[in-house]
Amino acid sequence: MKIVLISGQNHKGSTYHIARQVADKVGGEIKEFFLPRDFDSFCVGCTTCFLRDEKKCPHYEKLLPLTVAMLEADLIILASPVYVYHVTGSMKAFLDHYGYMWMVHRPDESMFRKQALCVATAAGAGMKSTIKDMADSLFFWGVPKSYKLGFAVAATSWNGISDKKKKQIEKAMDVTARKIQKNNGKVKPGIKTKAFFSLMRLLQKKGWNEADVKYWNEKGWNGKNRPWK
């Protein structure tokens, strides 16, 4: 299994340790990226990716290694500690660059066969909203199966987490890793994803954005083809 782990921090804190341990438990080829070390640019809002071509984005080349890794992966792991109830600025800036890949624009068919995992930790609270920041992108990219691991660790470092809490985390990691292994190569979009895709298909038939319509027509999605077939 090919796994890509994208961490919303440069240092290896509690969130990273949990994400990495799940990846190790699942097993396979693991590629890691750290933000902002491996990508540090903010979207400039030029709309070029939407209206013309994502390759015209001023940050396309810098982002390309992460893009390729995600497209090649069977499992995408997005990991971010809680920053004021949301993802880190680096993770947000990273995800902003993939608006063109949402189903309303030009989703990649490979996304409809992948699994994903969102990981978030905090000393206290905010995991739900932080995970949602990442899970939203995964859903709108077309990823059919996403898992969520959020923990209030009552600590500011991995070493500071109590043994009792680590045992609870370990149990949850084991359960999640087994599910990922079991579902590898077997996931398919559910009713929600298919319904949203169908809605976007109606929009594309109206032809509101030339670049998107051309893409959908080339894929045959305005006809009988679907990205999950």
Side-chain angles (χ1 to χ4, degrees):
M1 186 184 303
K2 291 186 176 181
I3 303 170
V4 60
L5 166 54
I6 300 172
S7 181
Q9 279 184 328
N10 284 341
H11 71 271
K12 298 179 179 180
S14 301
T15 309
Y16 166 79
H17 275 84
I18 293 170
R20 177 67 204 211
Q21 286 188 36
V22 173
D24 288 337
K25 289 174 183 293
V26 171
E29 176 188 333
I30 303 171
K31 289 186 178 180
E32 292 184 341
F33 296 94
F34 295 86
L35 308 172
R37 186 193 74 184
D38 296 314
F39 184 75
D40 60 359
S41 299
F42 289 95
C43 173
V44 297
C46 65
T47 69
T48 300
C49 64
F50 295 134
L51 301 179
R52 295 177 62 196
D53 188 332
E54 67 274 12
K55 294 180 181 179
K56 303 293 184 180
C57 170
H59 308 136
Y60 175 77
E61 292 296 334
K62 185 188 296 185
L63 188 61
L64 188 57
L66 287 80
T67 303
V68 171
M70 286 203 301
L71 294 179
E72 290 180 346
D74 302 299
L75 172 66
I76 299 172
I77 302 179
L78 301 179
S80 175
V82 175
Y83 275 27
V84 291
Y85 268 52
H86 292 285
V87 292
T88 63
S90 296
M91 177 62 77
K92 178 63 167 62
F94 166 74
L95 293 174
D96 284 346
H97 283 78
Y98 292 103
Y100 73 88
M101 205 159 62
W102 280 34
M103 278 187 270
V104 68
H105 293 292
R106 299 187 298 279
D108 191 282
E109 58 263 46
S110 69
M111 287 291 174
F112 293 83
R113 300 184 292 273
K114 299 183 187 296
Q115 297 185 86
L117 168 64
C118 298
V119 181
T121 68
M127 289 76 66
K128 184 177 180 180
S129 51
T130 299
I131 286 174
K132 186 177 185 299
D133 288 341
M134 298 180 283
D136 281 348
S137 283
L138 291 165
F139 170 77
F140 289 113
W141 291 346
V143 176
K145 188 68 175 179
S146 294
Y147 307 87
K148 302 173 182 178
L149 288 176
F151 301 101
V153 296
T156 57
S157 68
W158 179 248
N159 291 334
I161 301 175
S162 69
D163 290 338
K164 180 180 179 180
K165 174 61 69 173
K166 283 186 176 179
K167 288 180 180 179
Q168 295 174 347
I169 294 173
E170 185 82 24
K171 183 177 180 180
M173 289 193 296
D174 287 340
V175 171
T176 301
R178 286 196 294 268
K179 288 180 179 179
I180 293 171
Q181 290 173 327
K182 181 180 179 180
N183 291 322
N184 183 38
K186 302 176 183 177
V187 293
K188 295 181 179 179
I191 294 176
K192 183 179 179 181
T193 299
K194 289 183 177 180
F196 191 81
F197 181 88
S198 296
L199 178 61
M200 295 304 100
R201 183 168 169 266
L202 292 176
L203 291 178
Q204 298 303 336
K205 283 190 172 184
K206 292 182 179 180
W208 70 281
N209 182 9
E210 184 178 346
D212 295 344
V213 172
K214 180 181 178 182
Y215 181 85
W216 279 63
N217 284 334
E218 288 176 349
K219 296 292 184 181
W221 296 343
N222 284 328
K224 296 182 178 180
N225 291 346
R226 295 295 181 269
W228 51 84
K229 292 182 180 179

